[in-house]
């Protein structure tokens, strides 16, 4: 009995330290910027926008990009280090596990990519490796590299603990590809830039949805050339409507400015 007690105490200490090191994904406001390049690069923006409760669970609401319906909700189980997505399909609310950051190298997970450009149910992926990397805030984050166990699926997914997929947030099994369905270029935590990958864009600009036209441009080295609608027609700033913002360095951003 004397040997068992110290062993149990050691397990509890390990679990406590592990929980303290876990980078939470939903305890703050988040903004993801996803870049797609096809005859020019466009950066799409989505973000957490308020809270809601369903079946006694608390969720963060996604908004922006193709989440403007505000029917995509995220929740997090901190103890299990898992993130869930609740969504509507055929007017029925469903929920799936998006991420399990408690996985270890060699573990497998049944991947779901709900309402995304990728296969909805691609089956099991294996964690090939986990690498700790330092990001812009000076902290170290675990990068999870996964691949499908099916020879019929050619996808290589990358997750970052506390951020999510380097592809779409609702595509944990998708390959981040700027020439395909997109790749994460920038991630902001409470307005602070945490992650950036500038191989396709020149800079990361926080796109707080409550901005007005005068403070859209955050990079002093570039300026706004003009704004257009999705048909390429030049327009003035349209609040509460998606517009394309063309910068002097040739980059284009899609934004919705709320008022």
């Amino acid at each position: 009995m004397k040997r068992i007690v110290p062993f149990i105490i050691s397990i509890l200490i390990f679990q406590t330290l592990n929980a303290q090191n876990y980078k939470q994904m939903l305890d703050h406001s988040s903004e993801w910027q996803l870049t797609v390049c096809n005859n020019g690069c466009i950066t799409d923006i989505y973000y957490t926008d308020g809270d809601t409760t369903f079946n006694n669970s608390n969720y963060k609401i996604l908004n922006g990009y193709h989440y403007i319906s505000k029917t995509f909700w995220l929740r997090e189980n901190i103890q299990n280090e898992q993130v869930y997505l609740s969504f509507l399909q055929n007017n029925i609310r469903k929920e799936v596990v998006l991420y399990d950051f408690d996985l270890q190298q060699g573990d497998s997970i049944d991947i779901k990519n709900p309402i995304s450009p990728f296969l909805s149910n691609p089956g099991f992926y294996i964690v090939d490796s986990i690498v700790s990397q330092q990001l812009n805030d000076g902290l170290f984050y675990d990068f999870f590299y996964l691949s499908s166990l099916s020879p019929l699926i050619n996808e290589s997914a990358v997750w970052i603990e506390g951020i999510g997929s380097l592809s779409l947030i609702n595509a944990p099994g998708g390959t981040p590809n700027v020439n395909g369905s997109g790749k994460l270029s920038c991630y902001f935590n409470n307005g602070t830039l945490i992650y950036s990958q500038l191989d396709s864009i020149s800079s990361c600009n926080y796109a707080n949805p409550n901005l007005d036209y005068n403070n859209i441009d955050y990079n002093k080295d570039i300026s706004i050339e003009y704004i257009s609608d999705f048909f390429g027609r030049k327009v003035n700033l349209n609040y509460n409507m998606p517009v394309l913002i063309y910068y002097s360095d040739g980059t284009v951003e899609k934004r919705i400015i709320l008022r």
Side-chain angles (χ1 to χ4, degrees), residues 173-191:
T175 301
N177 183 359
V178 73
N179 296 311
S181 297
K183 181 174 69 174
L184 187 70
S185 290
C186 314
Y187 172 79
F188 293 86
N189 174 333
N190 286 336

Side-chain angles (χ1 to χ4, degrees), residues 118-138:
F118 301 95
L119 192 64
S120 296
N121 300 290
F124 282 89
Y125 282 43
I126 189 171
V127 180
D128 296 313
S129 63
I130 302 174
V131 179
S132 180
Q133 297 186 41
Q134 189 175 27
L135 297 185
N136 294 353
D137 59 354

Side-chain angles (χ1 to χ4, degrees), residues 59-245:
Y59 294 86
K60 290 286 187 180
I61 301 170
L62 278 176
N63 198 353
Y65 193 31
H66 67 254
Y67 311 107
I68 57 175
S69 64
K70 301 181 76 171
T71 58
F72 291 82
W73 307 339
L74 296 169
R75 73 176 177 91
E76 186 169 24
N77 185 315
I78 299 171
Q79 287 71 34
N80 295 335
E81 301 183 11
Q82 293 179 334
V83 176
Y84 301 79
L85 177 71
S86 175
F87 59 98
L88 284 178
Q89 190 170 53
N90 298 323
N91 294 319
I92 299 174
R93 183 153 291 280
K94 300 181 178 181
E95 184 176 87
V96 298
V97 176
L98 278 187
Y99 306 104
D100 185 347
F101 293 112
D102 193 40
L103 293 173
Q104 303 299 314
Q105 183 175 348
D107 288 347
S108 60
I109 179 175
D110 189 8
I111 291 288
K112 308 293 182 185
N113 300 312
I115 313 181
S116 77
F118 301 95
L119 192 64
S120 296
N121 300 290
F124 282 89
Y125 282 43
I126 189 171
V127 180
D128 296 313
S129 63
I130 302 174
V131 179
S132 180
Q133 297 186 41
Q134 189 175 27
L135 297 185
N136 294 353
D137 59 354
L139 301 178
F140 285 85
Y141 292 73
D142 283 341
F143 282 60
F144 291 71
Y145 296 87
L146 304 93
S147 60
S148 174
L149 288 173
S150 170
L152 302 178
I153 298 175
N154 184 25
E155 298 289 350
S156 298
V158 184
W159 307 347
I160 303 178
E161 183 184 58
I163 296 177
S165 174
L166 289 188
S167 180
L168 292 160
I169 191 70
N170 58 316
T175 301
N177 183 359
V178 73
N179 296 311
S181 297
K183 181 174 69 174
L184 187 70
S185 290
C186 314
Y187 172 79
F188 293 86
N189 174 333
N190 286 336
T192 299
L193 180 64
I194 303 298
Y195 172 84
S196 60
Q197 172 56 260
L198 303 180
D199 58 354
S200 302
I201 61 174
S202 61
S203 63
C204 288
N205 303 303
Y206 183 50
N208 186 313
N210 295 312
L211 298 172
D212 59 34
Y213 179 86
N214 293 323
N215 62 9
I216 288 175
D217 184 8
Y218 277 82
N219 188 338
K220 295 181 180 180
D221 295 329
I222 61 175
S223 60
I224 296 174
E225 292 290 304
Y226 64 93
I227 298 174
S228 80
D229 60 19
F230 281 8
F231 297 99
R233 298 172 298 199
K234 291 184 180 180
V235 296
N236 294 321
L237 177 65
N238 290 323
Y239 289 102
N240 304 317
M241 294 291 291
V243 294
L244 298 176
I245 303 174

